[in-house]
């Protein structure tokens, strides 16, 4: 049933396995679009490390303005061993998140049937909510006296009431739609300014959510609890850096880096969301055709949801579940012997039904 709906997608495949998983992901998303009667009009933006080597910049100066013209942004990964990581990431991904004010970074952690966790438990289903625009990633600081014995490097965390309040409120609302529990992760024993402030703001917001169980956990303990009692987490909210670290741990316990998905959004903000796997460009396996595309495909399903194509998003999620549960087609990271393209083909076939 073609209805003529078209969504404009900016595609930034980026570097390394980013290119491979985005190609796989787009194939699955196009199959879903065809089945559910809409069109994804994609523009591949050749931004990333190759562009940097050619032009000295990761994206054009008006890159973010260009992105504003799209309904969503679909990203692979950026990062190349021959370009400093702070240059690549501060030249592309971090400014996009910050300038578009995509303050929510949503990272589901779910262990699916057919996937083996390194943990004994079988029940992992949490939603990590990462503050995505400030905190440890504010970019405030500098270096001085380079090369001298008294050289210094200063990095200042910036937390604002508005920033903490809006992410806390978003997380409480999510908890209300799920199992009614919110864990707020900080380090307010050592971080006596910013993290005590975070706790205070979260406590203020909690006043509006008496029906939600609020648990406060220090980040070091949270890391251990992700391993020892992951089933106890429902929605987990934390600062930019802490949730960056915890969601790689989350990826690992749900079966591997290649499985984890991420959505950068500004709820009701009138800007495109950015959807990407949690993993990076994986230079150790790039070009070998074995990257797991599931994280990118799952991020694509989150993108379809965000575009208002919930049925198509659900169909992609079902395909992921069915193919993983059947267990016949798996990339090496999850114990199989097939490659990215075969797994993508199996997902496409499943979406087509
Ligand atoms: P990484 O996530 O790229 O790789 C970590 C480990 O996970 C590696 O062993 C890798 O082989 C494995 N892995 C990652 N993706 C996989 C997949 N799809 N299937 C199977 N295995 C997978 O992290 P890293 O090595 O720390 O970073 C590499 C580069 O990526 C760096 O330049 C870093 O800055 C960048 N990076 C970019 C993003 C992003 O663009 N969103 C995210 C993280 C890291
Ligand atoms: C992620 C990545 C980025 C982050 C890096 C590449 C800057 O690790 O999306 O998790 O820390 O946000
Ligand atoms: Mn990360």
């Amino acid at each position: 049933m073609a209805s003529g709906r078209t969504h404009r997608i900016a595609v930034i495949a980026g570097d390394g396995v980013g290119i491979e998983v985005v190609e796989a992901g787009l194939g699955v998303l196009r199959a879903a679009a065809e089945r559910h009667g809409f069109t994804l009009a994609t523009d591949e933006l050749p931004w990333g490390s190759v562009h940097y080597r050619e032009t000295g910049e990761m994206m054009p100066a008006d890159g973010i303005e260009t992105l504003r013209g799209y309904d969503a942004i679909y990203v692979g990964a950026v990062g190349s061993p021959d370009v400093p990581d702070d240059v690549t990431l501060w030249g592309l991904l971090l400014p996009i998140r910050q300038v578009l004010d995509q303050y929510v970074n949503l990272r589901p952690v779910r262990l699916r049937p057919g996937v083996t966790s390194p943990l004994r438990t079988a029940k992992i289903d949490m939603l990590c909510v990462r503050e995505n625009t400030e905190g440890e990633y504010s970019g405030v600081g500098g270096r001085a006296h380079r090369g001298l014995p008294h050289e210094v490097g200063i990095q200042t965390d910036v937390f604002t009431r508005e920033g903490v309040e809006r992410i806390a409120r978003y997380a409480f609302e999510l908890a209300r739609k799920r199992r009614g529990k919110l864990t707020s992760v900080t380090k307010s024993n050592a971080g006596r300014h910013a993290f005590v402030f975070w706790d205070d703001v979260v406590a203020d917001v909690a006043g509006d959510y008496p029906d939600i169980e609020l648990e406060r956990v220090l980040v070091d303990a949270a890391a251990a609890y992700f391993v020892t009692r992951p089933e106890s987490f429902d929605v987990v909210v934390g600062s930019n850096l802490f949730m960056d670290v915890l969601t790689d741990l989350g990826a690992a316990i749900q079966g591997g880096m290649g499985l984890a998905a991420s959505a950068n959004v500004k709820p009701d903000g009138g800007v495109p969301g950015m959807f990407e796997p949690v993993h990076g460009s994986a230079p150790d396996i790039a070009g070998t055709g074995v990257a797991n595309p599931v994280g990118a495909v799952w991020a694509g399903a989150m993108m379809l949801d965000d575009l208002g194509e919930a049925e198509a998003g659900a169909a992609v999620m079902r395909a992921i579940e069915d193919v993983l549960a059947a267990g016949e087609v798996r990339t090496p990271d999850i114990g199989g012997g097939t490659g990215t393209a075969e797994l993508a083909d199996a997902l496409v076939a499943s979406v087509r039904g």
Side-chain angles (χ1 to χ4, degrees):
M1 255 193 319
S3 66
R5 292 191 308 283
T6 296
H7 305 289
R8 299 194 61 219
I9 313 295
V11 177
I12 308 174
D15 303 317
V17 299
I19 298 163
E20 301 162 46
V21 297
V22 156
E23 187 190 339
L26 283 176
V28 180
L29 299 182
R30 287 210 179 93
E34 204 174 296
R35 181 87 200 258
H36 292 269
F38 60 93
T39 304
L40 295 177
T42 53
D43 282 338
E44 313 240 347
L45 304 173
W47 303 346
S49 299
V50 172
H51 193 264
Y52 178 80
R53 277 182 228 108
E54 287 167 6
T55 64
E57 49 189 19
M58 290 291 289
M59 64 176 161
D62 62 354
I64 295 180
E65 287 319 302
T66 301
L67 293 176
R68 283 187 200 276
Y70 289 88
D71 300 315
I73 309 162
Y74 189 50
V75 172
V78 288
S80 182
D82 62 337
V83 186
D85 278 336
D86 63 313
V87 171
T88 47
L89 277 314
W90 278 101
L92 190 66
L93 204 63
L94 298 175
I96 294 173
R97 290 176 182 168
Q98 295 186 0
V99 176
L100 293 182
D101 200 26
Q102 297 164 332
Y103 69 87
V104 175
N105 188 330
L106 212 51
R107 299 186 158 191
V109 176
R110 201 179 306 155
L111 178 60
R112 299 165 191 289
V115 178
T116 309
S117 169
L119 308 182
R120 273 177 307 224
T121 179
K123 228 179 143 292
I124 301 176
D125 181 8
M126 61 175 112
L127 195 43
C128 292
V129 179
R130 171 184 182 187
E131 199 296 315
N132 209 31
T133 54
E134 56 173 41
E136 308 88 341
Y137 281 51
S138 299
V140 174
R143 278 173 73 170
H145 313 306
R146 282 184 189 247
L148 297 173
H150 55 291
E151 181 171 1
V152 291
I154 297 174
Q155 188 87 44
T156 304
D157 302 351
V158 178
F159 289 86
T160 65
R161 178 169 287 276
E162 184 182 302
V164 180
E165 199 177 313
R166 65 185 181 174
I167 198 69
R169 200 165 286 286
Y170 187 85
F172 273 110
E173 290 290 334
L174 275 181
R176 201 169 251 175
K177 288 190 208 123
R178 289 172 49 101
R179 301 194 298 276
K181 180 173 175 191
L182 176 64
T183 304
S184 172
V185 174
T186 59
K187 183 68 186 170
S188 38
N189 47 1
R192 63 200 277 197
H193 305 301
F195 290 122
V196 176
F197 171 63
W198 173 291
D199 287 348
D200 288 348
V201 175
V202 169
D204 289 348
V205 177
D208 293 339
Y209 298 89
D211 51 318
I212 304 300
E213 179 195 346
L214 173 64
E215 173 187 49
R216 278 177 38 192
V217 181
L218 298 168
V219 66
D220 43 356
Y225 293 153
F226 264 47
V227 173
T228 57
R229 57 166 175 87
E231 69 286 351
S232 72
F233 293 106
D234 179 10
V235 179
V236 184
V237 68
S239 66
N240 219 326
L241 179 62
F242 288 172
M243 295 314 287
D244 174 50
V245 176
L246 283 181
T247 52
D248 263 33
L249 182 50
I253 63 174
Q254 70 180 305
M257 279 314 298
L259 295 172
S262 162
N264 307 266
V265 291
K266 177 172 189 177
D268 307 316
V271 294
M274 179 164 67
F275 301 85
E276 50 175 346
V278 169
H279 65 74
S281 55
D284 53 339
I285 58 165
T288 62
V290 297
N292 192 329
V294 168
V297 174
W298 187 354
M302 295 170 88
M303 177 168 81
L304 295 182
D305 260 352
D306 186 72
L307 291 168
E309 301 291 354
E311 272 183 34
V316 172
M317 293 306 292
R318 268 197 309 278
I320 293 175
E321 267 145 35
D322 291 349
V323 169
L324 289 176
E328 281 155 25
V329 189
R330 290 166 191 269
T331 43
D333 58 306
I334 50 171
T338 52
T340 313
E342 289 96 324
L343 183 41
D345 288 348
L347 292 167
V348 167
S350 177
V351 164
R352 291 203 173 124

